[in-house]
Amino acid sequence: MSLTLTVDGERWRAHLRQVADTHPGLAPVVKGNGYGFTLGRLARKAQWLGVDTIAIGTYDEIGHVAQRFDGSLLVLTPWRPFGAALDADGVQDPALARRLVHTVSRVEDLEALLTRQPDARFVLERMTSMQRHGMTARELWAAARVLADRPHARLEGIAMHLPLAQGSHLSEVTRLMNDVVAAGLRTTTVWVSHLTDGELTALGASYADYTIRPRIGTSLWLGDREALSVTATVLDVHDLERGDAFGYRARTAPKSGHLLIVSGGTAHGIGLEAPTGESSIKARAATLARGGLDAVGFVRSPFSIDGKQRLFAEPPHMQASMLFLPSGARVPAVGDRIDVRVRYTATAFDRVVVS
């Protein structure tokens, strides 16, 4: 009676090992909902891979991974002199405190962090075309001046978070790397996100004196989609005649068929659609089409039966969904499992089964 993620364990582990073996210095990204697997499971899998560092999203995630992975914890959210970041300063376990690597994206935060913790471990984030967090070239120079008077500070590298845009990042990364070299910082390590294998190779060749460390999440954990499957359980099946009322809103059936109640609802992320960022005419047309279907009560669901996505009979409930199955279609039995297409990073599964 669950929304279940089933994993072909042998195939998934082989993929993880292949990615780790072909990406020296890999720092697996373990954040958010754990890409559907949960943070704890991914932390244990990173331990199995033998990496020395994982990248977590926020300070609040430390407790989910610290007991399951014994290496360094690089926090991707920049350190700020307030909130959860300050709570991390007060970590009672000295050994855990030494494992934390902060991300610093402002010069004033660098000064504040080192005033509180002179021997803090940290990376300096360089601003990229994402324009999210980071220092300009001028600010990197200012950071170098701050660090010149802080002999105990432990600079662990420079971080660059590139966008997911199509096309090569090499020209941008080359410009950013030149800024790093010119700043004269006491590090030869660069942490990068969203570079292709070819770009990583080219960057390593151009800056042979630097260690390039890729932070990889999606293509590591979700890179082999054939190893993953998601299913829901059919909980109930009801006959419907045209005009029959059903559901919270007493909608009426447009024609005869069957009403299926299946596991998986808004609490799991079903029916909660996040913007995809697609700007093509086709993508926009699909959005308009979905809006039109919603206006008349028909919305395609992520649940599939016999390879065809079925319609929501009404908006999904918290832990279950109602589907409309027209007459003539095969009707699954109560207890059968049906396929579900989901966005893994936005879905909370009841069960994760790894074979």
Side-chain angles (χ1 to χ4, degrees):
M1 301 174 66
S2 308
L3 186 70
T4 303
L5 168 61
T6 302
V7 184
D8 181 335
E10 183 175 353
R11 179 167 179 166
W12 186 54
R13 289 186 292 270
H15 168 74
L16 300 182
R17 178 58 67 192
Q18 186 272 333
V19 173
D21 289 347
T22 55
H23 293 84
L26 170 70
V29 177
V30 179
K31 65 179 182 178
N33 71 336
Y35 297 84
F37 296 93
T38 73
L39 293 173
R41 178 175 279 103
L42 295 192
R44 289 193 297 270
K45 209 45 87 176
Q47 182 78 22
W48 172 77
L49 283 172
V51 299
D52 64 1
T53 304
I54 61 174
I56 63 175
T58 68
Y59 289 94
D60 292 306
E61 294 171 351
I62 292 172
H64 296 280
V65 302
Q67 300 302 317
R68 298 171 174 87
F69 176 79
D70 60 16
S72 297
L73 306 175
L74 170 61
V75 185
L76 295 175
T77 297
W79 187 91
R80 293 286 186 264
F82 50 77
L86 291 192
D87 294 338
D89 284 354
V91 170
Q92 297 300 311
D93 181 359
L96 175 57
R98 288 193 293 270
R99 292 164 56 195
L100 294 183
V101 181
H102 307 282
T103 293
V104 178
S105 63
R106 305 190 305 173
V107 176
E108 56 265 44
D109 291 342
L110 176 62
E111 294 174 319
L113 172 62
L114 295 179
T115 297
R116 295 178 62 89
Q117 188 181 347
D119 61 347
R121 300 174 66 195
F122 60 93
V123 299
L124 297 177
E125 183 160 12
R126 173 66 170 96
M127 179 70 79
T128 72
S129 58
M130 264 193 73
Q131 295 284 349
R132 189 167 70 175
H133 307 295
M135 297 182 181
T136 64
R138 186 186 298 272
E139 288 167 335
L140 281 182
W141 281 80
R145 290 194 294 271
V146 170
L147 294 176
D149 298 325
R150 307 277 187 157
H152 300 295
R154 301 169 65 187
L155 175 59
E156 304 277 350
I158 307 299
M160 299 180 187
H161 197 108
L162 282 301
L164 290 170
Q166 296 179 349
S168 175
H169 292 304
L170 275 180
S171 60
E172 178 180 0
V173 175
T174 298
R175 175 178 59 81
L176 298 176
M177 284 295 299
N178 289 339
D179 292 339
V180 171
V181 173
L185 292 157
R186 300 193 305 265
T187 184
T188 56
T189 300
V190 177
W191 306 77
V192 294
S193 300
H194 304 148
L195 292 187
T196 66
D197 291 352
E199 289 168 344
L200 287 170
T201 299
L203 188 62
S206 298
Y207 297 90
D209 293 339
Y210 280 77
T211 299
I212 309 300
R213 299 205 60 175
R215 302 178 300 197
I216 302 177
T218 302
S219 60
L220 173 66
W221 307 119
L222 302 175
D224 186 354
R225 295 300 175 93
E226 295 301 316
L228 314 174
S229 63
V230 180
T231 55
T233 305
V234 177
L235 304 175
D236 252 314
V237 180
H238 307 298
D239 295 335
L240 278 183
E241 296 298 332
R242 182 178 180 180
D244 285 350
F246 61 87
Y248 281 128
R249 296 160 184 81
R251 290 184 174 182
T252 55
K255 53 186 176 181
S256 63
H258 292 85
L259 188 67
L260 269 61
I261 318 301
V262 299
S263 57
T266 56
H268 303 90
I270 298 296
L272 305 180
E273 185 174 7
T276 63
E278 293 186 63
S279 58
S280 67
I281 293 177
K282 181 178 179 181
R284 292 179 180 180
T287 299
L288 290 173
R290 286 195 298 273
L293 287 170
D294 188 37
V296 297
F298 296 94
V299 177
R300 184 178 297 173
S301 81
F303 300 93
S304 296
I305 299 172
D306 295 335
K308 183 175 182 179
Q309 281 183 265
R310 297 301 176 176
L311 300 178
F312 280 123
E314 72 168 3
H317 304 169
M318 183 175 284
Q319 292 179 310
S321 294
M322 285 184 165
L323 310 180
F324 178 73
L325 198 60
S327 296
R330 183 183 67 83
V331 182
V334 172
D336 283 356
R337 304 201 64 80
I338 62 175
D339 294 329
V340 194
R341 182 178 180 181
V342 301
R343 186 173 177 180
Y344 291 87
T345 54
T347 304
F349 298 103
D350 293 310
R351 300 179 64 204
V352 179
V353 179
V354 183
S355 62

